[in-house]
Amino acid sequence: MSWELFWLLVEASGLTIVYSAVSIFFGFLLAAAICGADLSGRAAVARPARLFVSFFRGTPLLIQLLLIYYLLPKIGLNVPSEVAAVIGLSFSTASYQAEILRGGFQSVPRGVVEAADMCGLSARATFRRIRLPIAVRLTLPALTSEAIMILKSSSLISVVGVVELTTMAKDLASSTYQPLPIFASAGFIYLVINLVVAGLGLWAERSARRGHA
Amino acid sequence: MTSLLGYLGGEDGRNILSGLVNTCVLWVVGTLLGTVLGFLTAVARRYGPRPIDWLLKACVEVIRGTPFLVQAYLLYFGGPYLCLELGGASACLTLDPFEAGILGLTIYAGAYFSELFRAGFDAIPRGHIEAATTVGLDRWQTLRRIILPEMTMLVLPAMVNMSILLLKETAVLSIISVKELKFQVDIIGNRDYAFVEAFTILALVYWALVELCGRAGRYAEARLSRYRFAHS
């Protein structure tokens, strides 16, 4: 296997990173909304939120992607397959991130919140200054694992015709008859990206912990 | 789709049923073999020599750091090129899709399970093991009578989650043409131009299986937790 082929894989991995990053970002926004709805204590919003989480955690991502890919045109939304893929990935990661965030907020010690209340902080200030920072610190390791999970899961968007690392590897493997080195290289590139993300996660955890017990 | 029930009779029904059976076989066999492989890996890493620990750790990290789809492609398409030559005779790893699926799932599950068991080993209070040594249990007895029962309690919830994850990964195997549930329903959906219906039904079936597995797991936890109280 030549360096040219390896370089093509590296270039395609850039797309994998872009699709994953965009999905994780939108997934986080959606997860924050879902988590808020779930913890709001109002059944009218909490129940749909829980149903969303249960569905997207309870079905294979491959099937979610295909369902969204075929469903969107049917309801009159003709979007490129890249958009459908990012929507699928975002919904999936949103459901996982919502569970992580919920766990984080529920693990904030009650005493700390009560103390903030005693000090006369408003509910808004308590959320912004006390509950949110503690929850973020508690959930960083799980959010990092979820980011790695999505980077790996993004290989599935190759089935709806989106070009990324796995698609490129599949095409190159069948055109050069060298599946062994090409898929091994693709795996190696995923591994390197994930190690970098894991490292960034550790760095973020360390900086979030700075100045705290 | 005029009548969903119409699909359950005749040829289609048989294909869907065989797909469902294959999915369940892949899931159960993959989980069981993965548990065995993961346990052996965790034991080897804990009791074996240092280099073995490093080697296995590297393997586990590689498997956990790469997508399952790429692993499946590597096994299924790369396997036939992976040959072992011994004195003129050569043997290659040529697998049919189902074999590649089982092997891939086992390796994938083994890596994740080994990490669960490793955490389980570490979570057992050192005092319990010291107490076992003090009353004269040898290493094997300690493993069987003390470590295993305690660890089962600790890792059971995570194992249920992992087996749910594996059930969902079996759908990926349809991409390397393993004739499981998604593969079979996909064929019918393509033929009748009913993609949305096919994938909606698939999603609902997997959702039901996952919910069922989650409930069974919680039931098992509740049952087993009686022993935890009896022993602590």
Side-chain angles (χ1 to χ4, degrees), chain B residues 67-146:
Chain B
F68 181 59
L69 177 59
V70 173
Q71 295 169 15
Y73 276 152
L74 190 61
L75 262 178
Y76 182 58
F77 293 116
Y81 293 84
L82 199 67
C83 297
L84 196 69
E85 299 211 18
L86 265 176
S90 77
C92 299
L93 190 69
T94 308
L95 302 164
D96 71 29
F98 196 80
E99 291 163 354
I102 291 272
L103 185 61
L105 269 181
T106 302
I107 295 172
Y108 183 77
Y112 280 90
F113 276 127
S114 81
E115 287 292 279
L116 290 188
F117 289 130
R118 203 169 60 88
F121 276 136
D122 290 343
I124 293 171
R126 182 177 283 272
H128 292 200
I129 295 164
E130 283 167 2
T133 316
T134 311
V135 296
L137 298 186
D138 62 30
R139 192 180 257 190
W140 165 246
Q141 285 172 320
T142 311
L143 185 68
R144 205 171 75 84
R145 300 266 180 191
I146 310 294

Side-chain angles (χ1 to χ4, degrees), chain A residues 54-55 57-60 62-63 66-67 70-71 74 96 152 155 159 170 177 179-180 183-184 187 190-191 194, chain B residues 61 64-67 69 73-74 77-78 81-82 112 168 171 175 182 195-197 199-200 203 206-207 210-211:
Chain A
S54 170
F55 178 79
R57 280 165 49 103
T59 50
L62 176 63
I63 293 182
L66 288 164
L67 183 58
Y70 287 113
L71 186 66
K74 211 168 191 187
Y96 283 93
K152 292 194 288 171
S155 64
V159 295
K170 182 88 203 309
Y177 296 107
L180 211 51
F183 286 125
Y190 276 110
L191 189 62
N194 286 332
Chain B
E61 289 305 317
R64 281 163 33 106
T66 51
L69 177 59
Y73 276 152
L74 190 61
F77 293 116
Y81 293 84
L82 199 67
Y112 280 90
K168 293 189 285 172
I175 302 174
K182 191 252 159 191
F195 307 105
V196 175
E197 292 86 343
F199 292 123
T200 305
Y206 281 103
W207 196 9
V210 166
E211 281 293 314

Side-chain angles (χ1 to χ4, degrees), chain A:
Chain A
M1 189 185 143
S2 63
W3 281 108
E4 283 77 22
L5 291 182
F6 187 77
W7 189 243
L8 282 174
L9 289 176
V10 172
E11 279 181 350
S13 76
L15 291 167
T16 286
I17 294 173
V18 169
Y19 293 132
S20 306
V22 172
S23 304
I24 289 165
F25 175 73
F26 284 120
F28 182 78
L29 296 184
L30 191 54
I34 293 168
C35 176
D38 193 0
L39 294 178
S40 69
R42 265 175 255 143
V45 285
R47 283 186 75 103
R50 269 204 285 277
L51 201 66
F52 180 93
V53 170
S54 170
F55 178 79
F56 281 96
R57 280 165 49 103
T59 50
L61 176 60
L62 176 63
I63 293 182
Q64 296 165 13
L65 286 169
L66 288 164
L67 183 58
I68 290 172
Y69 178 72
Y70 287 113
L71 186 66
L72 287 180
K74 211 168 191 187
I75 56 173
L77 290 167
N78 279 308
V79 293
S81 53
E82 286 83 357
V83 175
V86 166
I87 292 176
L89 280 178
S90 303
F91 279 13
S92 171
T93 184
S95 66
Y96 283 93
Q97 290 188 44
E99 279 294 282
I100 294 170
L101 289 178
R102 189 173 63 90
F105 276 109
Q106 285 176 340
S107 309
V108 174
R110 186 182 286 267
V112 178
V113 179
E114 282 168 3
D117 201 23
M118 287 294 115
C119 293
L121 263 68
S122 65
R124 213 185 135 79
T126 308
F127 178 80
R128 212 169 61 83
R129 301 246 176 195
I130 311 290
R131 290 173 60 204
L132 188 63
I134 295 180
V136 166
R137 208 155 61 236
L138 288 174
T139 52
L140 267 177
L143 288 176
T144 309
S145 317
E146 178 54 26
I148 290 174
M149 211 67 201
I150 280 300
L151 269 162
K152 292 194 288 171
S153 302
S154 71
S155 64
L156 291 178
I157 64 178
S158 57
V159 295
V160 290
V162 178
V163 176
E164 43 74 72
L165 180 48
T166 304
T167 323
M168 184 58 87
K170 182 88 203 309
D171 291 351
L172 290 180
S174 49
S175 59
T176 62
Y177 296 107
Q178 293 179 302
L180 211 51
I182 285 173
F183 286 125
S185 307
F188 174 76
I189 295 170
Y190 276 110
L191 189 62
V192 170
I193 297 172
N194 286 332
L195 286 176
V196 170
V197 172
L200 284 176
L202 284 178
W203 173 79
E205 274 172 58
R206 258 204 308 281
S207 24
R209 241 195 337 255
R210 197 165 297 147
H212 295 279

